[in-house]
Amino acid sequence: MKLVTKIRNMGNLTQRIIAGLAGAFIMISAICFNEWSYFALLFTICLLSLIEFYNLIEVAEIKPNKIFGVVSGMMIFTLFFLIEKQVLTFDCYFLLFPFLFLLFLMELFRKNDKPFFNIAFTFLGNIYIALPFGLLHVCAFYLQEYNFHIILGILLILWANDIGGYVAGMALGKTKLFFRISPKKTWEGSIGGGLFALAIGFTLSLFWKELDTLHWLIMAAIIVVVGSYGDLVESLLKRSLAIKDSAQTIPGHGGFLDRFDGLLLSSPFIAAFLKIFS
């Protein structure tokens, strides 16, 4: 705790660098070790992101069924993992539907003024957070068994896009990208981040042959475009709730939603691309 306090007392850029390096080390180690350390890592991130999301929604005086939302979200996440790992069969996906529809019955007994608002935002947490994290398992088990290359490659490209965008935006940024939602983002930063991400995607294709060069570049392009919009979507959520950061969990980075917003929106597109076109 003392170390965290010291980090929080440092400048914002220093906090971002230290927390970013520490987080990257933990994530890379867990992803590379085996599928169970990978699962434990993403389980923790998904769980904390869901809790953070429902806490945010309550700011707007909406009362989602937080416990049900977290349990159902983690059920979605875990079910995807077990099915992609071939511990369970594909038919087990149908277990989700009767379980999720229990929420309508539960809402009958909560006696809230806006029951369908509560239902909608409870399901939104599952769709916006649990489902994208669950779809990452499709990428991790793309070769029918766990392989860390693709999942780690996705993260490296995403981080390259963030770092390149930050550096290029600070050095060259003048033209606003989407001022109404995110005043600090610029076209120059987006282009710089995109070029760096494509360079990392090309570099990965030279060493990791699970995908050919074209597919690595297409995946990088998906991350650049959709991941950037993921950041804007999360900014739109925060702006609608009149808050700056989703939380202060990660020094210099805000909350888990701030840190993984690009991944949340891009993972469904990547999973679809790998399953259909690759």
Side-chain angles (χ1 to χ4, degrees), residues 8-274:
R8 291 190 185 281
N9 291 332
M10 297 176 181
N12 186 262
L13 180 58
T14 305
Q15 289 184 37
R16 288 179 67 91
I17 293 173
I18 294 175
L21 290 174
F25 175 77
I26 293 170
M27 293 188 70
I28 292 172
S29 299
I31 290 169
C32 292
F33 188 68
N34 62 29
E35 67 264 39
W36 292 108
S37 59
Y38 152 81
F39 172 77
L41 171 75
L42 286 194
F43 186 95
T44 303
I45 294 173
C46 183
L47 175 63
L48 295 175
S49 298
L50 279 169
I51 294 172
E52 190 175 285
F53 173 81
Y54 289 123
N55 288 339
L56 282 178
I57 296 304
E58 288 179 333
V59 173
E61 297 183 357
I62 296 170
K63 298 178 180 178
N65 193 321
K66 186 188 299 186
I67 295 176
F68 182 90
V70 171
V71 171
S72 60
M74 298 317 299
M75 180 180 176
I76 292 170
F77 174 85
T78 303
L79 200 58
F80 265 84
F81 177 81
L82 295 176
I83 291 173
E84 291 299 322
K85 186 173 167 54
Q86 300 180 4
V87 174
L88 300 177
T89 64
F90 184 84
D91 294 344
C92 292
Y93 276 126
F94 290 95
L95 293 172
L96 284 173
F97 303 120
F99 180 78
L100 291 175
F101 273 74
L102 286 175
L103 178 61
F104 291 92
L105 303 180
M106 295 172 67
E107 196 64 31
L108 287 173
F109 298 95
R110 294 184 71 204
K111 299 180 181 179
N112 287 316
D113 295 334
K114 300 178 180 179
F116 276 85
F117 273 71
N118 302 334
I119 291 170
F121 278 96
T122 302
F123 282 143
L124 181 60
N126 290 172
I127 295 169
Y128 180 48
I129 297 169
L131 185 58
F133 276 119
L135 286 170
L136 286 176
H137 303 322
V138 174
C139 307
F141 290 91
Y142 171 68
L143 301 175
Q144 307 303 316
E145 59 182 17
Y146 180 71
N147 185 298
F148 71 84
H149 287 172
I150 293 178
I151 195 72
L152 182 56
I154 290 170
L155 289 175
L156 291 175
I157 293 169
L158 187 67
W159 294 340
N161 186 43
D162 289 343
I163 293 170
Y166 182 82
V167 173
M170 291 291 289
L172 305 171
K174 292 182 180 179
T175 310
K176 299 300 181 183
L177 175 65
F178 217 124
F179 183 79
R180 178 172 61 88
I181 295 175
S182 185
K184 293 183 179 181
K185 293 196 177 299
T186 63
W187 278 104
E188 292 82 1
S190 295
I191 294 171
L195 291 175
F196 191 30
L198 289 170
I200 293 298
F202 176 77
T203 303
L204 293 176
S205 73
L206 301 178
F207 300 97
W208 294 342
K209 300 297 184 179
E210 289 81 3
L211 300 174
D212 60 31
T213 301
L214 178 60
H215 286 129
W216 275 110
L217 291 176
I218 291 174
M219 194 164 69
I222 291 172
I223 292 170
V224 169
V225 176
V226 184
S228 297
Y229 277 103
D231 187 32
L232 292 172
V233 168
E234 205 253 344
S235 295
L236 182 63
L237 171 65
K238 292 186 295 185
R239 185 169 288 270
S240 67
L241 298 174
I243 57 175
K244 182 178 184 295
D245 294 319
S246 62
Q248 296 295 330
T249 312
I250 308 172
H253 293 267
F256 283 92
L257 295 181
D258 296 311
R259 184 62 276 168
F260 296 101
D261 49 13
L263 186 63
L264 292 175
L265 210 65
S266 59
S267 69
F269 289 85
I270 296 168
F273 168 70
L274 290 176

